[in-house]
Amino acid sequence: MTTLSDRPHTALLVIDVQNGVVANAHDRDGVIANINVLLDRARAEEVPVIWVQHADAQLVRGSDSWQYVPELVQRDGEPLVHKNYGDSFEGTDLEALLAERGVGRVVVTGASTDACIRSTLHGAFVRGYDVTLVADAHTTDDLSAYGAPPPAQVIAHTNLYWKWQSAPGRSAGTVDTADVVFAPSKVG
């Protein structure tokens, strides 16, 4: 269904599950456990796994807070995309990595829901990808002190609106970990 021709494959994106990003995140351990389930399934089905790692003034490259959480292990051959913007495509080689692998659909997991996850969802969709958000495999911090809704509501709202996203020739959707299908012709 993707508008990207000759790209029938799906990839799993693991975005910014770094020590400094998820230290106080909502349901941190549950989200990481779900990402591990998806990693195992993707690897067993030979689905490309692509890791994304953010750096900025608070996440200094090489620092402990910049490192991926120890519960998630990148395997040899699984590319790591370094980014400095919310959208994982912006100023990175993500598009080239996906093109090399014939990927026209991405399954999105990680952090933070209201920043890098949302930016990447929209970035992929406007670039022609089919985009599935894993409803129980993304998280965010509590920013209610700054006027944001509580994290559970931020996550629920993102899941709700992404479930109904649409555009010509592309599909979007939101599914739980247990319902993810990596086959390119499925939404979930």
Side-chain angles (χ1 to χ4, degrees):
M1 292 188 77
T2 178
T3 60
L4 302 170
S5 60
D6 300 321
R7 295 181 66 182
H9 302 294
T10 299
L12 176 64
L13 300 184
V14 183
I15 301 170
D16 301 349
V17 190
Q18 299 162 250
N19 291 322
V21 177
V22 299
N24 299 308
H26 175 77
D27 191 24
R28 175 201 183 278
D29 295 341
V31 167
I32 291 171
N34 287 337
I35 293 171
N36 265 320
V37 166
L38 292 165
L39 285 168
D40 289 345
R41 287 185 39 216
R43 290 164 175 160
E45 295 178 33
E46 298 182 358
V47 169
V49 175
I50 299 180
W51 300 78
V52 179
Q53 189 172 26
H54 192 83
D56 60 23
Q58 289 76 41
L59 290 170
V60 176
R61 193 178 288 235
S63 69
D64 184 58
S65 64
W66 175 80
Q67 301 296 329
Y68 249 79
V69 297
E71 298 95 326
L72 297 177
V73 178
Q74 178 188 6
R75 287 194 180 164
D76 289 342
E78 295 175 345
L80 175 63
V81 173
H82 293 281
K83 71 178 180 71
N84 300 104
Y85 304 99
D87 180 350
S88 298
F89 290 87
E90 205 58 50
T92 72
D93 62 348
L94 178 57
E95 168 57 28
L97 290 168
L98 294 171
E100 287 171 8
R101 290 157 178 78
V103 171
R105 177 174 168 257
V106 292
V107 175
V108 177
T109 67
S112 288
T113 300
D114 40 356
C116 298
I117 295 299
R118 283 188 186 171
S119 295
T120 300
L121 290 172
H122 290 278
F125 204 58
V126 300
R127 286 173 174 88
Y129 290 87
D130 293 336
V131 185
T132 301
L133 174 62
V134 185
D136 55 358
H138 65 97
T139 187
T140 194
D141 280 341
D142 185 350
L143 300 175
S144 57
Y146 303 99
Q153 288 180 357
V154 170
I155 293 164
H157 177 254
T158 303
N159 289 340
L160 175 67
Y161 89 77
W162 198 255
K163 182 178 182 178
W164 303 110
Q165 195 74 352
S166 65
R170 285 161 279 162
S171 67
T174 306
V175 298
D176 289 333
T177 296
D179 299 322
V180 170
V181 175
F182 287 114
S185 61
K186 306 287 186 192
V187 172

